[in-house]
Amino acid sequence: MKLYDNDTIVALATATGRGGVAIIRLSGDDATSIAQTLTQRTLTPRYAHYCDFQLNDDILDSGVAIYFQGPHSFTGEDIVELQCHGGPVVVDRLIRACNSLGARNARPGEFSERAFLNDKIDLTQAEAIADLIDSATEAAARNAVRSLQGVFSSKVQALVESLIHLRIYVEAAIDFPEEEIDFLSDGKVATDLADIQHDVNDLLRQATQGQIMRDGMTVVIAGRPNAGKSSLLNALSGRESAIVTDIAGTTRDVLKEHVQIDGMPLHMIDTAGLRDTNDVVEKEGIKRALQEIQEADLLILLVDSSTDMDEDPVAMLRDLAPEMVLEKPRLLVYNKSDKSGLTAGHVQTENGESTIAVSAKRGDGMDIFCQALKDKMGYNPEIGGSFTARRRHLEALQEAQHFIDTGAEQLHSAAAGELLAEDLRQAQEALSSITGEFTSDDLLGRIFSSFCIGK
């Protein structure tokens, strides 16, 4: 059933600019009639028609028209694709001709939105389309394809089905006590609930991996001037992207570099050295460094082990910015191990915090450092990540995990069947929001508005 007034929309489906071929896509009730007016012929479904595109005896171009009859099309509506020459003027003339015949210009993501609203794809598959287009790595593209094929959706749906079956059993025991179903002691509910807990935790691990592959992680390198932050950035990027000198305060602005470690995408940020200073330019660089630290997914605190081994870098940060919240993953790294005599690798500090000693310039300990980065990010290349995921998916899975864990608590500690049933219902709704079964219109608007036009 159609959930909206499907007027006819038109958009360029290929990239803007000059190219050999451009594809203009029409979708809606009048798509076929508009295309047949432009081509001056009756279009056969799924047949490539080579023809002229013309309006009022004005030949606009010649190319190929392909008609996909609804509901057997991407949007579920009638779709026509006009393949023309890829010049901006040609494309503009054809789109304006479609406008004059009744088609309006599509909003960003409107074709995918219609496919979702017409039950051709679910919400995770729609998002996977945008993720596939935006993929920055081969692994991310593979994951997006798997999500588009329904791998993520099928895992979520299997969990929802398990929750539904358990809810039926629990609620039947509550509603029909005369049937004498003692669900609290027969072990079935506890066993099924434990299985669901395990499956949710496993799916959350896979989704976390998929989200890392999609978005990457922002890692900020911070420390005193001359600690070797730029040398560490260069060692990770494999090129001299940052200037390295013996002069303290060489880096005065934020430097950003995209790095991959075993397929894990990282947004590495080198920052100005942290210290009290009266230099106006350096103070601005430190201000920007503190802002980047606040927004980072992971903070690398770099210490010059040849001079500052006894300094507490966390205390130093708090002295510079007392208002800063440092409740984020962090890794303490002692650099210049070749000068201090430290053995490159793991170092155990007095407070029990696990740290790494490296020589960024010589490369000593960098393999252990990279492994520590992956561990901190929760990245495991052995898992591989079978689908792409977004932050909202993780939040929904974490919400479902919370309700399931709370339900298990109610079952084991309070024997509260009614409370367990409510927790299971809320867990089901959280999971269903991933695929779009329970999703607000505001969320749909935000999701599809981030798509490119023509998708």
Side-chain angles (χ1 to χ4, degrees), residues 166-284:
L166 186 56
R167 284 184 63 197
I168 290 171
Y169 188 83
V170 171
E171 292 180 14
I174 295 170
D175 294 340
F176 303 103
E178 67 276 3
E179 298 296 329
E180 298 182 356
I181 302 174
D182 189 0
F183 70 94
L184 297 178
S185 61
D186 68 1
K188 173 179 170 52
V189 172
T191 300
D192 289 355
L193 193 56
D195 289 342
I196 291 172
Q197 279 181 301
H198 174 272
D199 291 344
V200 168
N201 293 340
D202 187 55
L203 187 57
L204 181 56
R205 280 194 296 272
Q206 293 182 59
T208 300
Q209 188 94 336
Q211 193 261 339
I212 291 173
M213 296 304 297
R214 175 187 180 269
D215 296 334
M217 290 290 176
T218 300
V219 180
V220 170
I221 308 171
R224 290 287 190 189
N226 236 14
K229 298 181 296 298
S230 297
S231 294
L232 184 62
L233 179 66
N234 290 344
L236 289 170
S237 65
R239 65 191 186 92
E240 299 296 314
S241 54
I243 298 172
V244 177
T245 73
D246 292 331
I247 302 171
T250 303
T251 302
R252 294 192 167 203
D253 204 347
V254 171
L255 297 177
K256 299 183 179 182
E257 188 75 26
H258 297 291
V259 173
Q260 283 193 54
I261 299 176
D262 281 355
M264 175 179 68
L266 297 176
H267 310 296
M268 302 295 303
I269 300 177
D270 179 20
T271 58
L274 303 175
R275 64 178 175 181
D276 289 320
T277 179
N278 293 320
D279 186 294
V280 176
V281 177
E282 191 174 1
K283 285 180 76 171
E284 178 61 28

Side-chain angles (χ1 to χ4, degrees), residues 140-186:
R142 281 198 299 268
N143 286 351
V145 168
R146 293 190 187 105
S147 280
L148 184 54
Q149 292 174 333
V151 172
F152 188 18
S153 304
S154 63
K155 290 176 181 290
V156 172
Q157 192 55 44
L159 270 172
V160 169
E161 288 297 321
S162 297
L163 280 169
I164 289 172
H165 289 310
L166 186 56
R167 284 184 63 197
I168 290 171
Y169 188 83
V170 171
E171 292 180 14
I174 295 170
D175 294 340
F176 303 103
E178 67 276 3
E179 298 296 329
E180 298 182 356
I181 302 174
D182 189 0
F183 70 94
L184 297 178
S185 61
D186 68 1

Side-chain angles (χ1 to χ4, degrees), residues 5 65 89 120 136 150 163 165 210 248 252 265 295 318 409 415 452-453:
D5 181 16
V89 175
K120 302 299 292 184
L163 280 169
H165 289 310
R252 294 192 167 203
E295 297 173 358
R318 290 210 167 98
E409 223 175 276
C452 59
I453 294 173

Side-chain angles (χ1 to χ4, degrees), residues 68-127:
F68 301 93
Q69 188 174 27
H72 307 296
S73 69
F74 172 64
T75 61
E77 307 167 342
D78 286 349
I79 283 184
V80 178
E81 290 186 351
L82 306 177
Q83 300 181 11
C84 61
H85 292 93
V89 175
V90 175
V91 169
D92 183 61
R93 293 186 73 199
L94 272 171
I95 289 178
R96 283 192 286 112
C98 293
N99 294 151
S100 70
L101 294 170
R104 68 168 172 82
N105 292 336
R107 301 188 306 272
E110 190 168 3
F111 290 92
S112 298
E113 182 180 22
R114 291 187 176 201
F116 166 71
L117 293 174
N118 285 327
D119 295 325
K120 302 299 292 184
I121 54 176
D122 64 32
L123 197 52
T124 57
Q125 290 173 301
E127 290 168 310

